[in-house]
Amino acid sequence: MTEPQVWTLIGVFAAAMFGTMTLMSTMFLRTMQNGFDGVRTEFRTEFDSVRTEFRNEFASVRTEFRNEFASVRAESGSEFANVRTEIRAIHDRIDHLDRDVSAIYRHIFGIDRG
């Protein structure tokens, strides 16, 4: 162990081992980083597609609700118009009934004979 060549070989071997460990750890870290970047890209792509699908579905549901509410509003408007027409008809009948009762009253009590 006193020979300089042995110490040189030990130093060269240690440097080679240290270099190999550095190279392997660097390659491992790059491989892991590339793997994480790939997973990150896949997740972003999937989340973007899910986000797009949700937006499309919500837009579809929103459109369906708007159409349904519009049809309900139209039906309600027409039904209220029918009810108004019926109420006006009843109001006209009551006015005619009032006129007829007044005529009967005037006839019975002789008010219209003057």
Side-chain angles (χ1 to χ4, degrees):
M1 286 297 274
T2 58
E3 297 292 322
Q5 290 139 347
V6 172
W7 285 107
T8 303
L9 284 175
I10 290 172
V12 168
F13 181 72
M17 290 301 289
F18 185 72
T20 303
M21 286 176 41
T22 303
L23 180 67
M24 294 305 282
S25 65
T26 303
M27 288 174 55
F28 179 73
L29 288 175
R30 284 185 185 170
T31 303
M32 291 298 292
Q33 186 64 38
N34 290 338
F36 289 143
D37 289 343
V39 169
R40 183 178 295 125
T41 303
E42 287 181 27
F43 270 118
R44 281 184 183 159
T45 304
E46 287 299 318
F47 282 133
D48 287 343
S49 68
V50 168
R51 184 179 294 127
T52 303
E53 288 177 21
F54 271 116
R55 283 182 183 159
N56 292 338
E57 286 298 319
F58 282 130
S60 164
V61 168
R62 186 179 299 125
T63 303
E64 289 177 18
F65 271 120
R66 283 181 182 162
N67 293 339
E68 287 297 321
F69 283 134
S71 67
V72 167
R73 186 177 291 129
E75 290 174 15
S76 299
S78 66
E79 289 298 321
F80 281 124
N82 291 341
V83 169
R84 281 190 194 107
T85 304
E86 290 178 16
I87 288 175
R88 284 184 188 133
I90 291 171
H91 181 68
D92 289 342
R93 287 181 189 163
I94 290 173
D95 283 344
H96 294 305
L97 183 64
D98 183 43
R99 184 191 64 208
D100 293 342
V101 169
S102 293
I104 292 171
Y105 174 77
R106 278 182 278 153
H107 179 71
I108 289 176
F109 291 109
I111 296 174
D112 59 344
R113 294 183 192 164

